[in-house]
């Protein structure tokens, strides 16, 4: 029987974050350039841009949107660079401990490391919420009724995958599953 199980958690370094950070940066730079060119009263050779764009109000608004887009993109690239949310879940039957490790933003609280004894674990809990923004998550429920999330944030996991993962963890820790109907 396995004595140690480690589940890697993907943080901010996922394709969708790279995609949106790039798209927002390109759009923000283009808006900013159009706004600056309207201030300088120069022609911009971009498709769909009128040459007689007045700085007030159109150019000022374009500059503002451009700066906003650039700043949001910088924030997204910053979270990707530091892999915010990344980490692992370690279940160790040798030491009798469960370790939840996550990375955050730089600073004194960058590293989140939670340790629990396996004897403190009450069950593995599955939460499924359907609707506009569906959630399918696995939690580690302790005997004092705290619920610690084990799954990554992002797109929902399929029912079969979440069920399989929860069963594997509960079998490994020798605890029950709550929330499976």
């Amino acid at each position: 029987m396995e004595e140690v199980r480690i589940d890697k958690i993907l943080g901010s370094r996922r394709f969708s974050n790279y995609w949106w950070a790039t798209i927002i940066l390109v759009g923000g730079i283009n808006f900013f350039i159009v706004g600056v060119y309207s201030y300088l009263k120069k022609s911009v050779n971009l498709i769909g841009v009128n040459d007689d764009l007045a700085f007030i109000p159109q150019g000022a608004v374009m500059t503002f949107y451009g700066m906003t887009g650039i700043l949001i993109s910088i924030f997204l690239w910053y979270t990707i660079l530091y892999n915010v949310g990344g980490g692992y879940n370690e279940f160790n039957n040798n030491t009798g401990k469960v370790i939840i490790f996550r990375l955050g933003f730089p600073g004194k609280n960058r590293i989140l490391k939670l340790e629990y004894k396996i004897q403190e674990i009450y069950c593995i809990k599955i939460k499924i919420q359907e609707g506009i923004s569906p959630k399918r998550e696995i939690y580690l429920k302790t005997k004092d009724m705290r619920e610690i999330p084990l799954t990554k944030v992002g797109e929902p996991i399929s029912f079969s995958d979440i069920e399989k993962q929860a069963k594997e963890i509960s079998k490994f820790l020798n605890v029950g599953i709550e929330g499976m109907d």
Side-chain angles (χ1 to χ4, degrees):
M1 185 174 130
E2 283 184 77
E3 295 297 321
V4 178
R5 174 189 168 109
I6 298 176
D7 296 335
K8 299 278 184 196
I9 302 298
L10 182 66
S12 298
R13 293 181 182 165
R14 60 182 58 148
F15 176 76
S16 62
N17 286 349
Y18 284 104
W19 168 261
W20 285 113
T22 303
I23 294 298
I24 292 171
L25 180 63
V26 170
I29 289 171
N30 284 328
F31 269 72
F32 185 74
I33 288 171
V34 169
V36 169
Y37 270 61
S38 73
Y39 176 75
L40 299 174
K41 295 182 170 90
K42 297 210 179 213
S43 175
V44 182
N45 294 327
L46 296 175
I47 298 172
V49 175
N50 195 348
D51 286 342
D52 60 345
L53 186 70
F55 181 69
I56 301 293
Q58 294 95 349
V61 170
M62 296 283 274
T63 306
F64 172 75
Y65 285 160
M67 285 301 299
T68 304
I70 291 168
L71 291 174
I72 290 171
S73 177
I74 288 171
F75 172 76
L76 288 172
W77 282 110
Y78 188 68
T79 60
I80 292 168
L81 176 69
Y82 287 104
N83 197 22
V84 174
Y88 62 88
N89 302 326
E90 179 182 324
F91 308 97
N92 193 327
N93 283 328
N94 290 332
T95 61
K97 290 188 177 181
V98 174
I99 298 173
I100 312 297
F101 180 87
R102 299 289 185 278
L103 294 172
F105 286 103
K108 69 177 187 171
N109 296 324
R110 168 142 169 81
I111 295 175
L112 173 67
K113 186 176 181 182
L114 305 172
E115 288 189 33
Y116 298 97
K117 293 181 182 173
I118 292 178
Q119 295 83 13
E120 293 176 23
I121 308 304
Y122 175 69
C123 69
I124 301 298
K125 182 175 181 176
I126 298 176
K127 275 191 184 175
I128 297 175
Q129 174 186 336
E130 295 299 329
I132 294 173
S133 60
K135 292 182 183 178
R136 297 178 189 140
E137 302 168 326
I138 300 175
Y139 290 87
L140 186 73
K141 192 170 181 181
T142 61
K143 291 185 178 173
D144 60 357
M145 298 304 153
R146 287 182 284 168
E147 295 177 358
I148 299 94
L150 296 178
T151 51
K152 63 184 177 191
V153 175
E155 54 194 60
I157 306 168
S158 70
F159 286 115
S160 59
D161 287 345
I162 202 163
E163 184 178 323
K164 179 183 174 203
Q165 190 177 358
K167 282 181 180 178
E168 288 173 356
I169 295 170
S170 71
K171 184 178 179 183
F172 189 85
L173 297 176
N174 198 23
V175 295
I177 299 178
E178 183 180 297
M180 268 183 40
D181 298 311

